[in-house]
């Protein structure tokens, strides 16, 4: 039984067709077909059956799949260890993180991590949460840090909660009392960020439930731009606590308690592949550090429930 045969089997199961599996493996479709046929001959059982939708696993294929995935993972982990030894690298850590995490949480985490692990090579991929989950499943990153989603293909563990806080310029009328009723937001110039973010819909839902329509809305495509606009006095914004902790500490923004709107929190989770994947020591060391995020990162709240 060859690694290429098992790899082809797993890729077809993931992709659903021979053509897409061949593209993912960067080989010809006949080569993928030959590999699977060779594996089936050795196992003495058909692993797939063709259907109108593509390649479907047989009962034998479904039974073999988790074992094949673990075998591939074990070989790749071993290959990584050998490569690290050859290059003189103590370890390599590949992370997939959501944009807000990479900008406002990851720098402090890595600063702490590299104190004890100075020779570890760190690779970071960013993307929306759904994209990071796919990277984890494909084994392109060891760990993902994303907003909480429903996805039974991966294992998720809560890390912290990021709460939206109302921030205003230092001289804004809301800053004088330090609190404002949500109804007053209909008179405010509101700055929103990233229409594709879950925060965008959460903010809109909060205003809808309170029956509030802000006077004017400026939309930007990222959190940092929204924060800068508020600092320049162009409006007010509901932004993640981790994103504005530095500005609040530095006095360039003021936090105002929003009364009657309820709290808007988003849970951030650690994403890992399921099954018996053996963790490298460097991965275990980093996951231990992740548990301390509420202690290390200003604005990160301990996950509840």
């Amino acid at each position: 039984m060859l690694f290429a045969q098992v790899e082809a089997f797993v890729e077809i199961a993931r992709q659903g067709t021979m053509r897409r599996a061949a593209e993912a493996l960067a080989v010809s479709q006949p080569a993928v077909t030959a590999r699977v046929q060779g594996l089936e001959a050795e196992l003495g059982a058909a692993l797939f059956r063709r259907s109108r939708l593509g390649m479907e696993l047989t009962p034998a294929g479904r039974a073999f799949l988790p074992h094949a995935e673990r075998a591939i993972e074990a070989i790749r982990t071993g290959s990584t260890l050998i490569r690290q030894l050859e290059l003189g690298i103590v370890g390599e850590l590949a992370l997939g993180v959501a944009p807000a995490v990479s900008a406002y949480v990851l720098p402090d985490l890595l600063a702490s991590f590299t104190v004890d692990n100075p020779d570890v090579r760190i690779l970071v991929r960013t993307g929306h949460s759904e994209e990071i989950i796919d990277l984890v499943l494909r084994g392109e990153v060891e760990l993902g840090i994303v907003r909480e989603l429903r996805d039974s293909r991966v294992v998720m563990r809560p890390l912290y909660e990021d709460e939206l806080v109302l921030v205003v310029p230092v001289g804004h009328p809301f800053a004088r009392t330090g609190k404002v009723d949500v109804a007053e937001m209909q008179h405010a110039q509101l700055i929103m960020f990233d229409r594709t973010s879950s925060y965008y819909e959460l903010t809109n839902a909060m205003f809808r439930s309170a029956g509030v329509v802000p006077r004017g809305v400026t939309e930007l495509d990222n959190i940092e731009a929204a924060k800068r606009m508020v600092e320049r006095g162009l409006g007010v914004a509901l932004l993640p606590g981790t994103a504005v902790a530095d500005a609040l500490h530095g006095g360039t923004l003021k936090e105002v308690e929003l009364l009657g709107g309820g709290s808007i929190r988003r849970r951030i989770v650690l994403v890992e592949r399921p099954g018996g994947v053996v963790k490298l020591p460097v991965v275990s060391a980093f996951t231990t550090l992740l548990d301390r995020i509420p202690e290390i990162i200003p604005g990160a709240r301990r996950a509840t429930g």
Side-chain angles (χ1 to χ4, degrees):
M1 189 180 302
L2 302 175
F3 175 78
Q5 294 175 328
V6 178
E7 184 181 46
F9 162 70
V10 170
E11 202 59 47
I12 294 169
R14 288 175 179 170
Q15 301 293 340
T17 69
M18 290 282 194
R19 178 183 59 79
R20 288 200 294 266
E23 290 174 354
L25 293 171
V27 298
S28 68
Q29 187 170 328
V32 171
T33 301
R35 291 178 187 182
V36 173
Q37 288 176 343
L39 182 61
E40 289 177 327
E42 184 163 347
L43 293 173
L47 300 174
F48 295 100
R49 56 170 167 261
R50 291 187 179 275
S51 73
R52 183 171 53 84
L53 299 176
M55 302 295 287
E56 293 183 356
L57 288 167
T58 64
R62 286 195 297 272
F64 184 61
L65 181 59
H67 301 282
E69 289 176 328
R70 285 196 293 271
I72 288 176
E73 180 61 30
I75 291 171
R76 286 177 176 167
T77 300
S79 298
T80 298
L81 286 172
I82 291 173
R83 188 168 63 252
Q84 290 169 355
L85 289 172
E86 291 296 316
L87 295 174
I89 301 169
V90 171
E92 182 175 283
L93 179 63
L95 304 171
V97 296
V101 177
S102 69
Y104 304 109
V105 175
L106 195 60
D108 284 346
L109 283 178
L110 294 183
S112 178
F113 180 73
T114 54
V115 169
D116 295 323
N117 303 273
D119 297 321
V120 173
R121 176 186 293 173
I122 297 171
L123 309 174
V124 179
R125 300 275 297 275
T126 60
H128 288 295
S129 297
E130 296 84 355
E131 296 169 337
I132 298 304
I133 287 175
D134 287 339
L135 291 178
V136 171
L137 286 169
R138 293 199 298 268
E140 294 182 31
V141 297
E142 278 88 20
L143 303 171
I145 308 175
V146 302
R147 66 181 172 88
E148 187 173 39
L149 296 170
R150 292 182 179 274
D151 197 319
S152 60
R153 299 175 299 165
V154 293
V155 176
M156 295 188 186
R157 178 164 63 82
L159 295 176
Y160 67 97
E161 290 180 355
D162 213 348
E163 182 172 9
L164 287 186
V165 297
L166 178 61
V167 291
V168 304
V170 176
H172 194 277
F174 289 172
R176 297 195 187 107
T177 60
K179 58 181 67 175
V180 64
D181 190 272
V182 67
E184 292 299 311
M185 292 295 290
Q186 63 187 333
H187 306 300
Q189 181 71 30
L190 181 65
I191 297 173
M192 299 279 283
F193 69 91
D194 194 359
R195 186 179 283 268
T196 64
S197 166
S198 61
Y199 276 135
Y200 188 94
E201 180 53 37
L202 289 170
T203 302
N204 277 332
M206 184 269 287
F207 285 129
R208 285 196 302 268
S209 64
V212 172
V213 179
R215 182 187 67 197
V217 176
T218 300
E219 292 187 14
L220 300 166
D221 63 0
N222 66 81
I223 295 172
E224 191 62 22
K227 184 168 72 171
R228 298 302 180 202
M229 292 290 187
V230 177
E231 289 176 328
R232 297 298 186 272
L234 297 175
V236 305
L238 283 156
L239 299 175
T242 55
V244 296
D246 59 341
L248 294 175
H249 180 73
T252 59
L253 290 177
K254 291 291 184 181
E255 180 178 352
V256 175
E257 183 182 359
L258 186 61
L259 305 175
S263 112
I264 304 176
R265 291 189 176 190
R266 187 172 68 170
R267 178 171 289 187
I268 306 300
V269 300
L270 172 67
V271 179
E272 298 179 271
R273 291 187 295 282
V277 177
V278 178
K279 287 185 182 179
L280 296 172
V282 65
V283 176
S284 297
F286 192 73
T287 55
T288 299
L289 179 64
L290 291 177
D291 291 330
R292 298 180 53 222
I293 285 179
E295 306 168 26
I296 299 172
I297 307 299
R301 301 178 181 270
R302 195 167 298 279
T304 58

